[in-house]
Amino acid sequence: MTRRIGILLYPDFQLLDAAGPITAFEIAGRMAGDAYALTLLSRDGGAIRSSAGIVLDTMSVQDAGPLDTLIVVGGDGSRNAMHCPDLRAFLRARTNDTRRLCSVCSGAFLLAVASLLDGRRATTHWQRAEEFIRLFPHVRVDPDAIHIQDGAVWTSAGISAGIDLALALIGDDLGDALSRRVAQQMVVFHRRPGGQSQFSALLEMGGGEGRFTELLGWIRSHLHNRLTVETLADRMAMSPRNFTRTFRLSVGMSPAKAVERLRLEAARERVEHSDTPIEAIAANAGFHNPERMRRAFLRAFGQPPQAMRRNASAM
């Protein structure tokens, strides 16, 4: 059985959003005897230019024919494409005869504007998650997920997450064993550990005017300390209540969540790139005991520290 995969493009699409899944399905198809046939689609067909300037040839959506799976890519051009009535109509029509509707990165905006994500869990690129939540309040957004399946609709995070999505779709079709072989051939994680939280960008996101940048740097250097709201507010010469409110507005999360993310960033780096005992890492990062750190890792990454260490060693 050959499954026909349609990949929907538009001007200024992100090339890797398309190329990543294409490569995964190509390899799976070779391994499983023509399991997939790939079709590039656009509104009118013809040459479609990516944001990188690379041009791909496409078929008109009107000539698409039967599809097993439709994947909408993301990119800078998604802001214009989401307002195209022809594309919205095409996506809505495909809900009746396509087994799976999927998006990569900001391709989720096209699914959402066509009302295909209402009431569903979904994800998109972390950098556009706030905009997405504002525009589509009826969608239950998880900005940290790499990919999410909600019924027949699959959404994935930014850019390279299209590969993760494709591997999950291949696993759904042909089994985990073959999906794992494809990942090995591509030299990528079969299931990427963790979410798309940009811990290393936390300092950069310390507020529109960088009001809390210095404080976040100080926290990062004192993770082993007891970092209460009162301690942090005192350092900023603010009342705890005013500090908490202003910090949340500026950084986008509570002080406690920011401290935990910085602790997770520091702990994950040492878990994956050192032989330091887990107990010592937990103490140095301010978790104080391994069980507390284990629970935090499960919430943030979906895996305990020991499993993340094993995965890092295997790569």
Side-chain angles (χ1 to χ4, degrees):
M1 174 183 175
T2 300
R3 296 171 174 84
R4 194 154 174 260
I5 310 293
I7 300 176
L8 181 62
L9 310 182
Y10 44 78
D12 289 327
F13 71 94
Q14 168 54 240
L15 187 62
L16 186 56
D17 283 11
I22 287 170
T23 302
F25 287 118
E26 174 208 352
I27 294 171
R30 289 204 308 267
M31 289 179 173
D34 298 322
Y36 295 107
L38 298 166
T39 302
L40 298 181
L41 303 170
S42 67
R43 187 187 68 177
D44 301 317
I48 300 295
R49 184 183 178 90
S50 71
S51 57
I54 304 298
V55 174
L56 296 181
D57 193 37
T58 66
M59 175 187 295
S60 165
V61 293
Q62 300 304 319
D63 301 323
L67 295 172
D68 174 83
T69 302
L70 176 62
I71 301 175
V72 184
V73 303
D76 293 343
S78 62
R79 286 183 168 86
N80 288 328
M82 65 185 281
H83 298 298
C84 174
D86 293 335
L87 291 182
R88 289 201 302 271
F90 168 70
L91 291 171
R92 287 176 184 142
R94 283 296 172 168
T95 61
N96 299 319
D97 60 5
T98 301
R99 184 168 65 97
R100 296 180 300 208
L101 292 174
C102 312
S103 65
V104 181
C105 193
S106 54
F109 282 73
L110 278 75
L111 295 183
V113 80
S115 302
L116 303 181
L117 298 181
D118 286 359
R120 296 183 184 273
R121 291 180 63 242
T123 192
T124 188
H125 193 292
W126 66 269
Q127 201 167 30
R128 294 192 64 184
E130 184 177 344
E131 176 190 2
F132 191 95
I133 291 168
R134 185 177 68 254
L135 291 175
F136 307 110
H138 298 302
V139 182
R140 294 180 288 140
V141 180
D142 182 348
D144 191 48
I146 297 297
H147 59 78
I148 289 176
Q149 177 191 5
D150 191 327
V153 179
W154 302 58
T155 54
S156 61
I159 309 179
S160 66
I163 297 172
D164 300 84
L165 172 69
L167 291 171
L169 295 172
I170 292 164
D172 188 54
D173 292 338
L174 305 173
D176 269 359
L178 190 132
S179 177
R180 188 180 300 277
R181 287 173 57 203
V182 174
Q184 290 171 340
Q185 182 71 20
M186 295 181 71
V187 197
V188 297
F189 280 111
H190 178 230
R191 289 192 176 89
R192 192 191 312 207
Q196 57 170 325
S197 297
Q198 301 299 304
F199 298 141
S200 61
L202 193 55
L203 283 175
E204 180 184 340
M205 296 189 291
E209 298 176 358
R211 179 173 186 178
F212 293 102
T213 297
E214 184 178 346
L215 177 66
L216 289 166
W218 181 86
I219 292 171
R220 191 171 264 169
S221 301
H222 294 80
L223 292 175
H224 58 284
N225 291 354
R226 188 166 178 266
L227 300 171
T228 64
V229 167
E230 290 74 17
T231 299
L232 302 179
D234 184 64
R235 186 165 183 84
M236 294 296 294
M238 300 170 71
S239 71
R241 181 176 179 180
N242 186 40
F243 168 75
T244 299
R245 180 182 62 82
T246 307
F247 186 95
R248 186 186 290 275
L249 287 172
S250 191
V251 179
M253 66 188 74
S254 70
K257 188 67 174 178
V259 169
E260 181 176 83
R261 284 198 172 191
L262 288 170
R263 283 178 168 151
L264 283 165
E265 177 186 28
R268 179 177 182 174
E269 175 68 19
R270 297 193 70 188
V271 163
E272 293 185 330
H273 301 291
S274 80
D275 296 325
T276 305
I278 299 297
E279 294 79 3
I281 294 174
N284 291 335
F287 288 106
H288 301 302
N289 68 75
E291 177 56 25
R292 184 179 173 193
M293 187 171 83
R294 187 186 74 84
R295 291 196 300 268
F297 267 58
L298 286 171
R299 286 195 302 271
F301 309 127
Q303 298 183 71
Q306 292 85 349
M308 294 190 71
R309 175 166 280 179
R310 286 195 299 271
N311 287 335
S313 298
M315 287 299 291

